Amino acid sequence: MKILTVIPAIGSVYGGPSKSVIELAEALAQQGISVDLITTNANGDQTLDVPLHTWTECNNIRIQYFPYLGWQDYKWSFALGKSLFQHIKDYDLVHINAVFSLTNLPAYWACQFHQVPYIVTPRGMLEPWALSYKARKKRIYFNLLERPALQKASAIQVLAASEAERIYPLDLVAPLVTVPNGIHRHHFDPPATAERFWREFPHLQDKQLILFLGRIDPKKGLDLLAPAFAQIQQQFPDSHLVVAGPDNIGYLPIAKKLFRDAGCQDAATFTGMLNGDLKYSALAAASVYVAPSYSEGFSISILEGLASGLPCVFTDACNFPEAAGVAKIVPVNQAQIAQALHWCLANPEDASAMSQQARQFIFENYTWDKIAANLVEIYDAIIQNQPLPHLHA
């Protein structure tokens, strides 16, 4: 089985979606699948320092980068589109990641022209909140370009059952298959230590850290977190919020003002993006994880918080109701977020017991090897023109 994965960009500044696509591709390769990945060299307002127009091998997958032209939120790559039309017949199936992306349009069209089946993963971008953000532009794009492509897909992969429920009103005819994101167990077992994070941020060493791990973006709910944390900080004076994530859209000054206006800016540290061992060390240093999002597809960051054995607080907009027994899942509401954070800090023994259950829950259900095996079944069914397994009911 030969699979082509298409994604507009995999630069680290794009956070969880980039990470999940790469890790899933690597996990598929571990299942014995031949996986190629094509993308652009975009990385926010920078470009990746990578070879262009040639295959590079990394962790058993091949990746090819192409240059692009950027305008506002959009990227277009003539070279990538040309390559797709030339080589897409070499693959049994194409897996296209993201919607509202000009980069992906040639992938749709090449698949249709050469009759190669394709599956699309919107990664939360068809959620109601996401559709309402810059709604007029998205409505035009969706009706003219995205909907026709989605209607011809062999399947649409959603990351959670609740995401599927919110997509149904769009009346798409392509079947929905639910395949979540995952983690690599070896990144969390044995657990990381906090030493590296303390070396980078020694002034935080004696604090009770609440960790926000995500992009600095309006949908991430920092406007809710700022007043909620201000309340927590009054109740727990040694608490400190770590906001760890990249700012791709220039939202950082607004985000910092939210904390100034709430009167807790001195107890909040914006670290920028944390990657690799430093990120895992930050998770080890934290006392609580929080994700106050208005909308998520299925957050890798939440999985990482749970797998790290942290008490986790996140909103029901994060599409993870399955974790209700092992995390504090609250409505998208400032008071409810504050109440859940208070419980975690005020009840350390109960919070620790909950978080250890969460850790085991993730290891049993959300590792990439299990998820990749399920996706291979779906790929095989599409290629063989058989009924799809694991369909959302």
Side-chain angles (χ1 to χ4, degrees):
M1 185 185 301
K2 193 169 184 181
I3 304 299
L4 177 65
T5 295
V6 182
I7 181 171
I10 56 172
S12 61
V13 302
Y14 302 112
S18 297
K19 178 181 172 66
S20 63
V21 169
I22 295 169
E23 292 190 349
L24 177 56
E26 293 169 351
L28 288 167
Q30 291 294 321
Q31 298 284 326
I33 306 301
S34 174
V35 182
D36 288 348
L37 188 154
I38 63 170
T39 186
T40 71
N41 63 338
N43 192 33
D45 58 1
Q46 306 291 320
T47 56
L48 296 174
D49 183 16
V50 291
L52 302 177
H53 306 287
T54 187
W55 291 109
T56 58
E57 190 156 339
C58 180
N59 295 330
N60 299 314
I61 66 172
R62 294 197 310 167
I63 303 177
Q64 188 166 180
Y65 297 91
F66 293 91
Y68 74 100
L69 298 175
W71 178 71
Q72 295 186 358
D73 297 332
Y74 295 105
K75 304 175 187 69
W76 176 262
S77 174
F78 293 99
L80 186 149
K82 180 180 179 182
S83 178
L84 281 165
F85 272 91
Q86 289 175 336
H87 300 293
I88 211 156
K89 300 188 299 298
D90 300 338
Y91 299 93
D92 298 306
L93 181 142
V94 177
H95 194 150
I96 302 169
N97 292 271
V99 293
F100 301 114
S101 169
L102 293 175
T103 308
N104 286 345
L105 293 179
Y108 295 143
W109 299 336
C111 285
Q112 293 163 17
F113 183 81
H114 290 290
Q115 297 184 318
V116 177
Y118 62 94
I119 180 171
V120 182
T121 306
R123 303 202 166 271
M125 290 308 296
L126 295 179
E127 290 272 321
W129 190 95
L131 290 174
S132 69
Y133 184 66
K134 301 182 179 178
R136 183 174 179 273
K137 181 167 64 173
K138 285 181 177 175
R139 186 164 53 249
I140 295 169
Y141 188 108
F142 183 78
N143 289 328
L144 288 178
L145 299 170
E146 202 70 56
R147 177 188 286 277
L150 293 172
Q151 299 289 42
K152 295 177 181 178
S154 296
I156 297 172
Q157 178 205 353
V158 294
L159 302 175
S162 50
E163 183 186 3
E165 291 168 2
R166 295 181 181 123
I167 286 178
Y168 280 141
L170 297 177
D171 293 325
L172 299 172
V173 299
L176 304 183
V177 291
T178 304
V179 184
N181 285 328
I183 53 99
H184 288 305
R185 180 168 181 158
H186 65 266
H187 288 159
F188 303 92
D189 188 18
T193 63
E195 276 73 18
R196 182 172 176 190
F197 182 80
W198 297 141
R199 287 199 302 271
E200 293 286 335
F201 304 98
H203 65 290
L204 301 180
Q205 190 158 355
D206 297 322
K207 304 292 185 181
Q208 276 191 297
L209 300 184
I210 298 172
L211 179 63
F212 168 95
L213 195 61
R215 297 192 312 277
I216 312 301
D217 186 282
K219 85 167 188 173
K220 297 296 185 178
L222 290 171
D223 59 326
L224 301 173
L225 183 57
F229 174 65
Q231 181 179 337
I232 293 299
Q233 219 276 323
Q234 290 180 348
Q235 298 163 338
F236 299 90
D238 63 341
S239 63
H240 195 98
L241 179 68
V242 174
V243 180
D247 174 27
N248 298 338
I249 61 172
Y251 189 66
L252 182 59
I254 298 172
K256 288 184 174 181
K257 185 176 185 299
L258 293 170
F259 288 89
R260 286 199 303 274
D261 291 347
C264 58
Q265 71 272 21
D266 293 338
T269 296
F270 288 77
T271 64
M273 188 169 189
L274 304 180
N275 285 314
D277 290 344
L278 183 56
K279 177 182 66 176
Y280 299 128
S281 184
L283 287 161
S287 299
V288 182
Y289 168 97
V290 63
S293 296
Y294 288 101
S295 176
E296 292 287 346
F298 191 85
S299 171
I300 286 279
S301 171
I302 289 174
L303 291 176
E304 291 174 336
L306 294 166
S308 296
L310 281 175
C312 292
V313 175
F314 52 90
T315 65
D316 53 13
C318 292
N319 281 328
F320 202 5
E322 295 83 357
V326 295
K328 289 292 184 181
I329 304 178
V330 299
V332 182
N333 176 276
Q334 168 198 326
Q336 297 278 353
I337 293 166
Q339 183 178 340
L341 290 172
H342 182 277
W343 182 88
C344 291
L345 294 174
N347 301 278
E349 291 185 5
D350 290 342
S352 177
M354 178 184 74
S355 63
Q356 290 309 308
Q357 290 176 339
R359 181 174 163 84
Q360 194 59 36
F361 171 71
I362 297 302
F363 291 160
E364 290 175 359
N365 298 285
Y366 294 94
T367 56
W368 278 126
D369 55 343
K370 295 181 176 65
I371 289 158
N374 287 340
L375 192 56
V376 169
E377 289 187 44
I378 293 169
Y379 287 166
D380 189 59
I382 292 172
I383 293 167
Q384 302 298 328
N385 200 25
Q386 297 294 315
L388 291 173
H390 307 301
L391 279 173
H392 177 74

